[in-house]
Amino acid sequence: IYEALPVAGGMLSVGIPPYRLPRAQIEAAISLITELGAEIQFNRPIDTPDAFDTLLRDYDAVYIATGAHKSQILEIPGEDFMGVMHGVTFMKDTNLGMLKTVPEKVAVVGGGFTAIDCARSSLRLGAQEVSVVYRRTLGEMPAGEMEVSMAEEEGIQMHYLTSPVKIIGGLDQKVTHLECIKNKLGEPDEKGRRRPVPVQGSNFTIPVDM
């Protein structure tokens, strides 16, 4: 196994926080694989055409299982400001110990498991105020009511029917606010979920450091 990361387990190890998935469970699963004879080579990304061609030449079969390590972008102004991170990157850096603290005020955009993991992890890294911004209602939230309930019990503020429209920064290009707009639910989309429709004139800002 050619593993790009310094640990095995992929998104299980770097995408999910240990309080939700104990690392002993991942290690037990990895041990089953290595006991069967598989060798794991860490920090060995196959990231060039030549490296891939070498695999095809040296092995009878190649199985590609790279996971989904790339976040969606919001495509709103200010997304390149200092202090803005994508959720998958945030969780990876946190789980690998590269990110040990966060500033006081954090806003997380999204309604899936990664968003809630980012929010709850931010509290554990020292944030004092954490907000989750989600464009639909709790009923449409992919993370589910149990995950959201645990986040709320920890003091995380949920902004439902809310979409980000702009990330605001100071002269140093460091994020200071997240500008949002309120939504109402419109007609269902192709997946059957009602589309969020912006309510004109309902813009507001959330002070944020990250």
Side-chain angles (χ1 to χ4, degrees):
I1 299 173
Y2 291 87
E3 172 57 65
L5 297 170
V7 296
M11 292 301 284
L12 296 179
S13 295
V14 300
I16 303 174
Y19 62 81
R20 198 155 71 81
L21 178 58
R23 292 304 180 248
Q25 293 186 22
I26 303 175
E27 290 164 7
I30 294 167
S31 293
L32 292 175
I33 297 168
T34 55
E35 287 168 7
L36 289 171
E39 175 193 354
I40 305 176
Q41 297 189 16
F42 298 106
N43 299 305
R44 287 291 304 275
I46 304 301
D47 52 3
T48 66
D50 286 345
F52 188 66
D53 288 344
T54 300
L55 285 187
L56 296 179
R57 186 179 66 244
D58 293 349
Y59 294 91
D60 300 317
V62 176
Y63 178 68
I64 303 172
T66 55
H69 293 258
K70 188 174 182 180
S71 295
Q72 290 181 301
I73 61 173
L74 295 174
E75 296 183 329
I76 60 174
E79 201 166 354
D80 57 346
F81 283 169
M82 289 173 55
V84 179
M85 286 185 76
H86 291 113
V88 172
T89 303
F90 176 86
M91 290 309 307
K92 182 175 75 172
D93 289 356
T94 299
N95 284 321
L96 290 176
M98 297 162 57
L99 184 66
K100 299 182 185 299
T101 61
V102 297
E104 181 178 342
K105 299 175 182 177
V106 176
V108 181
V109 178
F113 287 102
T114 298
I116 301 300
D117 287 346
C118 288
R120 297 180 69 195
S121 295
S122 293
L123 284 180
R124 288 157 174 77
L125 292 173
Q128 300 300 307
E129 298 177 22
V130 180
S131 302
V132 172
V133 173
Y134 179 57
R135 59 184 178 166
R136 292 185 171 97
T137 66
L138 174 59
E140 287 89 18
M141 206 165 185
E145 292 190 22
M146 187 174 75
E147 287 287 323
V148 174
S149 176
M150 289 190 289
E152 289 179 322
E153 286 176 7
E154 293 181 350
I156 293 168
Q157 184 176 359
M158 311 300 295
H159 293 274
Y160 297 113
L161 289 171
T162 303
S163 293
V165 295
K166 183 180 182 182
I167 298 168
I168 301 170
L171 294 175
D172 55 0
Q173 298 290 293
K174 193 174 188 310
V175 60
T176 60
H177 293 80
L178 178 66
E179 182 179 340
C180 302
I181 192 168
K182 299 299 290 185
N183 297 321
K184 60 182 179 180
L185 291 181
E187 294 300 314
D189 61 16
E190 61 278 359
K191 295 181 180 179
R193 295 193 300 173
R194 295 175 65 189
R195 296 178 186 275
V197 179
V199 177
Q200 298 304 316
S202 64
N203 296 54
F204 68 100
T205 60
I206 302 172
V208 292
D209 304 308
M210 186 177 194

